[in-house]
């Protein structure tokens, strides 16, 4: 077995040089294809509801979470990229304390934005997928180490569509404060466990 392959190493080296040359050429052009980059972290809160299940239980309530976004600016008004978030909803009001519903989703996004002085309003949507994790304890105690006979743990993937709108406030040349509102739609063929609802996001965006 040949461990050291000089031909393969040379091909990788030439490919790397070619990519570096192309990138340098793009940067040297007066009219750049990419107009800029932006990205950052956001925290959110909202209200989640919906979801049929075999127990005839509809989880709903306030949800909290964190996530982030990264975008490439292709024109003066159009951006694309990806985002991902995790959201958790406690169910202590309707089930035993410790019960919860977690949703993670990520997807490709596209949005349109405008500049109004220091403000950058935008509207768009992301399409992707995620996983809902449900832990329902109908009776028992989550603080002891005894087995619970009336509890369920379930994970379900879903197809996600997430329309949103928001606005950035420029605090400087590179730093922006952002506020965003969305409505997550989690879709499954059999209609089981479809979390949905509005969320309000606050965060910081770094732009270049």
């Amino acid at each position: 077995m040949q461990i050291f392959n000089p031909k393969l190493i040379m091909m990788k080296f030439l490919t790397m040089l070619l990519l570096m040359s192309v990138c340098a050429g793009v940067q040297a052009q007066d009219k750049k294809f990419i107009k800029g980059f932006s990205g950052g972290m956001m925290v959110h809160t909202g209200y989640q509801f919906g979801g049929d299940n075999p127990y005839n239980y509809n989880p709903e309530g306030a949800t909290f979470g964190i996530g982030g976004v990264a975008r490439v600016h292709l024109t003066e008004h159009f951006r694309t990229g990806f985002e991902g978030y995790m959201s958790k909803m406690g169910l202590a009001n309707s089930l035993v304390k410790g019960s919860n519903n977690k949703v993670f989703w990520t997807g490709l996004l596209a949005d349109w934005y405008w500049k109004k002085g220091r403000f950058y309003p935008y509207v768009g949507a992301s399409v992707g997928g995620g996983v809902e994790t449900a832990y329902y304890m109908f009776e028992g105690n989550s603080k002891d180490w005894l087995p619970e006979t009336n509890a369920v743990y379930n994970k379900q993937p879903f197809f996600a569509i997430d329309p949103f709108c928001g606005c950035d406030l420029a605090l400087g040349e590179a730093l922006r404060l952002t506020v965003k509102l969305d409505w997550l739609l989690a879709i499954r063929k059999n209609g089981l466990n479809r979390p949905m609802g509005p969320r309000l996001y606050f965060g910081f965006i770094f732009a270049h």
Side-chain angles (χ1 to χ4, degrees):
M1 182 178 65
Q2 186 178 12
I3 300 177
F4 179 76
N5 191 333
K7 184 177 179 180
L8 181 60
I9 294 176
M10 181 59 67
M11 290 296 295
K12 290 183 178 181
F13 179 73
L14 292 176
T15 302
M16 184 176 64
L17 286 180
L18 179 61
L19 292 175
M20 292 175 63
S21 300
V22 171
C23 292
V26 172
Q27 293 293 330
Q29 293 177 358
D30 294 334
K31 187 177 181 180
K32 296 180 180 180
F33 176 72
I34 296 177
K35 305 296 182 179
F37 304 90
S38 62
M41 299 292 293
M42 286 177 274
V43 296
H44 64 262
T45 182
Y47 189 81
Q48 180 178 304
F49 62 93
D52 301 325
N53 54 67
Y55 302 95
N56 196 27
Y57 171 66
N58 181 21
E60 58 181 330
T63 184
F64 304 90
I66 192 171
V69 60
R71 294 175 291 219
V72 177
H73 302 207
L74 298 181
T75 72
E76 297 296 335
H77 299 284
F78 178 73
R79 304 178 296 193
T80 186
F82 63 91
E83 63 180 353
Y85 300 96
M86 188 280 294
S87 195
K88 182 177 181 180
M89 176 178 61
L91 300 171
N93 293 332
S94 55
L95 298 176
V96 175
K97 185 177 181 180
S99 302
N100 62 79
N101 183 281
K102 296 180 182 178
V103 177
F104 168 79
W105 74 99
T106 184
L108 299 176
L109 68 85
D111 66 17
W112 288 262
Y113 69 101
W114 301 266
K115 183 178 181 181
K116 303 292 183 180
R118 296 174 58 193
F119 295 92
Y120 294 79
Y122 58 89
V123 59
S126 64
V127 177
V131 176
E132 180 192 26
T133 302
Y135 177 62
Y136 303 153
M137 185 184 296
F138 298 100
E139 64 180 11
N141 189 343
S142 62
K143 296 182 179 180
D144 59 32
W145 288 90
L146 299 177
E148 305 296 342
T149 58
N150 198 2
V152 60
Y153 177 83
N154 182 265
K155 297 181 71 173
Q156 298 232 24
F158 58 80
F159 174 71
I161 301 177
D162 189 27
F164 59 80
C165 63
C167 186
D168 294 347
L169 171 62
L171 303 179
E173 294 184 0
L175 182 61
R176 300 175 186 175
L177 176 66
T178 190
V179 178
K180 186 181 83 165
L181 178 67
D182 76 347
W183 188 289
L184 176 65
L185 297 170
I187 303 171
R188 286 181 53 81
K189 291 182 178 180
N190 56 9
L192 293 177
N193 291 328
R194 300 167 298 178
M196 64 181 72
R199 287 175 174 79
L200 183 63
Y201 299 74
F202 301 94
F204 291 95
I205 299 295
F206 298 92
H208 174 68

